[in-house]
Amino acid sequence: MRVLINRMTLAGLAAAGSSGAMAQSSVEIFGRINTTLERQKTGDVTTTGLFNNRSSIGFRGSEDLGGGLRAGFVLEADFNSDDGSGRGGTGIDFRRQSEVNLSGHFGSLRLGSMPSESYIAMAAQGVMGQPNHDLGSLSDALYYYPMPDANKVSYRTPVLWGGLTVEGASAFHENGENSGNKNGYDLTAKWAKGPLSLATGVTKVHDSTTLGLHAQYTFDAFRIGAYYQRTDEDLRGKRNAGRVTALYSLGLSDLIAGFGWAGNWSGVGSSSARQLILGYNYHLSLRTKVYAGYTRVDNKANARYATGTDGADFSTFALGIRHHF
């Protein structure tokens, strides 16, 4: 009997191994190196030098489990391209993104650390991310980003009626500092058809609620996008913000212009700000571009966008090279 059981067990293991060998899986390395030569001015202090613009390296993979079901993962780490060090000057870690997921006809389930989908839909995708995919010193300094990236469970629907997708996420507080022992919640809906795309998102974290609306339209070589954001929190009160960005493509070149504004917090006087973003891209290939950009953030007396210092303005002129791999 023992011999028979052992033979049956070995046969079962062999069958399982054969089945696993038949599964289709893949792993790839991806990332970008994005470095600029800049002349930055923060308040009265001017600095000229090389700057990293959110360079990263990552690994992602997927396995076909059969029946339309797939397992996958994403690990992505920031590093400083100007001196080769890791995030914050320390070793490389995967706080930028670290997720495992299952996807199929039901949509996708994601667990781990990942960017807020409402932020991606509002301020980082398409023309809104230009000229540098909302990265580094040329990024949107006025968008309010309350949703934690870590300890998150997210579900995304498959494409529904007429191009609609919905994603909901919860970030568990895990008794973290300043969490108020409350989970964060993020719900985003996106719709796209032809030249028009629309999105809306709502985020609830501790004492703040944020609502965003986004629209983008493309005609010929011209794209224009805009978002509006409304935030209500216990500490500072209510705030309205928005941005409009336009891009015109001419051959291998892109011309970009954007303007953003953040109104006063209702409980904080003189806390408004404005931001101008100008950019030029020249695409050497599908993965490599050279670019130039200028941005200026004008802060009122009690605003500290992009600087961390009340009333200090920020500006930079940047020349950069970005390569995706």
Side-chain angles (χ1 to χ4, degrees):
M1 179 66 70
R2 180 176 299 174
V3 174
L4 177 60
I5 292 175
N6 287 341
R7 288 178 177 174
M8 291 175 65
T9 302
L10 290 172
L13 291 173
S18 175
S19 175
M22 294 294 289
Q24 298 296 314
S25 62
S26 63
V27 176
E28 66 171 320
I29 300 174
F30 70 96
R32 64 174 166 266
I33 301 177
N34 194 0
T35 310
T36 51
L37 173 63
E38 296 189 34
R39 182 175 177 83
Q40 294 187 358
K41 185 175 183 181
T42 303
D44 296 326
V45 179
T46 300
T47 304
T48 302
L50 281 181
F51 290 85
N52 169 52
N53 274 249
R54 206 67 186 269
S55 300
S56 67
I57 184 169
F59 309 87
R60 60 185 165 218
S62 65
E63 180 184 16
D64 186 351
L65 302 175
L69 184 65
R70 299 192 70 88
F73 75 91
V74 182
L75 294 171
E76 187 174 6
D78 291 325
F79 67 92
N80 297 315
S81 60
D82 53 337
D83 63 12
S85 63
R87 182 174 182 170
T90 60
I92 287 179
D93 58 57
F94 294 104
R95 281 179 288 175
R96 179 168 178 81
Q97 189 166 0
S98 176
E99 72 166 81
V100 63
N101 56 67
L102 285 174
S103 61
H105 302 303
F106 63 90
S108 62
L109 177 66
R110 308 162 67 199
L111 307 177
S113 179
M114 62 205 78
S116 163
E117 183 62 24
S118 62
Y119 157 72
I120 294 173
M122 297 297 123
Q125 282 188 336
V127 69
M128 298 305 295
Q130 296 294 338
N132 201 19
H133 299 281
D134 204 44
L135 302 169
S137 56
L138 297 174
S139 62
D140 183 350
L142 309 181
Y143 184 88
Y144 185 60
Y145 191 119
M147 185 67 178
D149 289 345
N151 306 316
K152 190 180 292 184
V153 176
S154 173
Y155 167 70
R156 179 183 298 166
T157 68
V159 177
L160 303 174
W161 311 278
L164 174 69
T165 58
V166 179
E167 180 164 345
S170 177
F172 294 96
H173 63 80
E174 298 188 0
N175 299 315
E177 185 179 359
N178 300 320
S179 70
N181 293 335
K182 295 182 179 179
N183 297 338
Y185 300 96
D186 194 61
L187 181 64
T188 306
K190 299 188 294 184
W191 176 86
K193 188 172 184 180
L196 178 65
S197 63
L198 303 172
T200 184
V202 61
T203 305
K204 173 68 176 176
V205 179
H206 190 21
D207 65 346
S208 71
T209 301
T210 301
L211 171 68
L213 302 171
H214 167 268
Q216 178 175 301
Y217 190 78
T218 301
F219 47 97
D220 295 329
F222 185 75
R223 285 186 287 165
I224 186 167
Y227 76 74
Y228 164 77
Q229 188 181 49
R230 167 89 169 173
T231 302
D232 186 356
E233 65 173 37
D234 290 347
L235 182 62
R236 293 175 291 182
K238 299 178 175 63
R239 188 205 76 156
N240 297 307
R243 181 158 63 98
V244 177
T245 301
L247 179 147
Y248 180 75
S249 295
L250 183 63
L252 299 175
S253 299
D254 300 323
L255 299 173
I256 302 104
F259 178 76
W261 59 275
N264 289 320
W265 290 97
S266 60
V268 183
S270 297
S271 56
S272 64
R274 303 289 185 269
Q275 182 179 16
L276 173 67
I277 301 175
L278 301 175
Y280 170 75
N281 297 324
Y282 186 80
H283 299 275
L284 299 171
S285 71
L286 291 175
R287 297 187 299 169
T288 305
K289 74 172 184 178
V290 293
Y291 64 96
Y294 171 81
T295 189
R296 178 176 176 84
V297 179
D298 292 320
N299 287 311
K300 295 296 184 182
N302 293 318
R304 51 173 55 193
Y305 298 100
T307 67
T309 302
D310 287 345
D313 297 331
F314 173 79
S315 65
T316 188
F317 177 73
L319 297 172
I321 302 174
R322 191 204 68 201
H323 174 72
H324 278 266
F325 58 89

